[in-house]
Amino acid sequence: EGTERGCFCPAGKLLQDGVCVDADQCKCIHEGVFYKTGDKVIKEGECKVCSCLAGGEMNCEDMECPALNCDDNEIVAHKPDKCCGYCEANWVKAVNPDNKLNQGQNVALTCEIFAEGVFKRHITWYRNGKKITQGLSKNKKILQVKDAGKQDAGEYICQVEKDGKVGEAKFNVEVVLRDVDIIRAKSTDVDFIIGEKIELEVTKLDELKEIYWECNGKRVNKAMERFTVINKAGFNRLIIDPSRKTDAGSCTCIAVNKDGDEEREEIKLSAKEANVELTPIDTDVECKENKKGCRIGCEVDANGATFEKEDLKICKVVGGRKTECKTPNFKNGAYSITFGSNTPASAKGTYVCTAKINGLNFESGKINVSVV
């Protein structure tokens, strides 16, 4: 039949790796890769185990999964690239658990669930303990947080129920707010006298959507006695009247502008008792009997406390008791009384100035009156 030049394997043998071998020694080729006889290829995603047989034949069979006996806190979990299930306690996981956003940014919180037979009715989302129904994907595995603001910060939970067991993934969202000037406090430290009126004021620097006050952690509302809020175009004022010792602490004005930016101005409040000083004009007064012009009284230093002249009295002290108390008139820088046009001999005695201001009693030194 003729001849042909070249190198050839003997009849019944095949060339492999430069060597002539019997047909039953040929390697298997599977998906572009050569395997030796006896090699096995485990294809998890397809649940197949393929073996290289003699003669280069690749035989694939279904993978057998072992029986599972999971603990009470575990379920049979599955992963897309794994054929067999496995026992897993943490079968719900957060893909992106920690998120730090600038105000206005977006984030998609993604919940990964390693279990079969979980549908959207089994999934519930919470933010800071409150159920969320908005911003969820169709399968409820993704929660979209858009245009992040202060209200979006906190802890999020993706909770999944399956076969009476509950798994959850936690996410933390921190929102860095823009530094904007919305309001400015007239004063950030206020000292007040107990019983006096407190006035706190902020200037508005932007167009506002909302503004309110919190005092010592409690939001001020119209139902609160003693508290009045005056809201004008350029300012907002909080009035507390009368003040009490328990008002000490802080009041914070919270304002939100039309863009949703928030600013808080804290004003610290310090309380002090009223300290009224009553100083006699003269401590020894000599009056002429049946003559006019005899006058006794006190200078008053209220140290910031407010009062009316009706809060003051000038009394005669008899046997340790105050009697014949009269309301003085203000004249020449002092509060005083006179004994009329004809000073009687009975005007002789000891007198004191008294004051009752903001529920506290004050008394001057003694004024000794003689009549001659």
Side-chain angles (χ1 to χ4, degrees), residues 139-157:
N139 62 12
K140 296 180 72 174
K141 294 182 181 180
I142 299 174
L143 171 64
Q144 294 281 352
V145 179
K146 296 183 177 180
D147 192 21
K150 180 188 175 185
Q151 71 281 359
D152 297 308
E155 182 184 66
Y156 290 74
I157 295 177

Side-chain angles (χ1 to χ4, degrees), residues 176-289:
V176 180
L177 301 178
R178 289 189 289 264
D179 187 13
V180 293
D181 285 330
I182 301 175
I183 53 174
R184 183 176 297 125
K186 191 174 181 180
S187 176
T188 56
D189 291 281
V190 173
D191 296 329
F192 68 92
I193 297 172
I194 299 170
E196 295 292 310
K197 177 169 65 177
I198 302 173
E199 289 193 13
L200 310 177
E201 185 177 308
V202 295
T203 301
K204 297 179 181 179
L205 305 176
D206 199 354
E207 185 177 343
L208 302 183
K209 182 168 61 177
E210 183 181 20
I211 186 168
Y212 60 95
W213 291 84
E214 289 181 356
C215 288
N216 293 327
K218 186 175 182 179
R219 182 163 177 167
V220 175
N221 59 66
K222 293 180 180 179
M224 296 171 66
E225 295 182 1
R226 305 188 299 115
F227 289 77
T228 304
V229 177
I230 299 174
N231 190 34
K232 297 294 183 180
F235 69 89
N236 187 280
R237 182 180 298 147
L238 172 64
I239 299 173
I240 307 174
D241 188 24
S243 62
R244 295 175 181 169
K245 187 176 183 179
T246 53
D247 293 324
S250 70
C251 286
T252 302
C253 183
I254 300 98
V256 181
N257 68 10
K258 61 181 181 179
D259 296 323
D261 299 319
E262 179 185 287
E263 186 174 14
R264 306 168 72 92
E265 280 284 88
E266 182 183 20
I267 302 173
K268 295 181 180 179
L269 304 178
S270 300
K272 61 180 181 180
E273 300 279 3
N275 182 24
V276 179
E277 299 178 17
L278 305 174
T279 306
I281 303 170
D282 291 301
T283 55
D284 293 289
V285 179
E286 184 179 275
C287 299
K288 301 292 185 181
E289 188 177 2

Side-chain angles (χ1 to χ4, degrees), residues 23-74:
D24 60 0
Q25 294 179 321
C26 286
K27 294 180 179 179
C28 301
I29 183 168
H30 182 69
E31 296 181 347
V33 180
F34 284 98
Y35 296 93
K36 295 179 181 179
T37 302
D39 287 348
K40 289 187 178 183
V41 179
I42 299 175
K43 305 179 73 175
E44 285 276 4
E46 299 176 20
C47 286
K48 297 287 185 180
V49 176
C50 299
S51 301
C52 180
L53 305 180
E57 180 184 353
M58 183 67 82
N59 180 54
C60 293
E61 297 178 346
D62 291 335
M63 184 183 295
E64 293 185 5
C65 295
L68 296 175
N69 185 19
C70 298
D71 292 339
D72 291 341
N73 66 328
E74 297 177 326

Side-chain angles (χ1 to χ4, degrees), residues 1-12:
E1 297 181 358
T3 59
E4 186 177 347
R5 263 180 204 281
C7 295
F8 302 93
C9 288

Side-chain angles (χ1 to χ4, degrees), residues 285-297 314-316 323-324 326 336-352 367-371:
V285 179
E286 184 179 275
C287 299
K288 301 292 185 181
E289 188 177 2
N290 296 324
K291 299 290 184 180
K292 67 178 181 178
C294 190
R295 173 172 170 259
I296 61 172
I314 298 178
C315 306
K316 189 173 186 179
T323 62
E324 302 177 28
K326 297 180 180 179
S336 61
I337 61 171
T338 64
F339 295 106
S341 57
N342 296 295
T343 301
S346 60
K348 178 182 178 182
T350 300
Y351 295 78
V352 292
I367 304 171
N368 298 310
V369 176
S370 60
V371 180

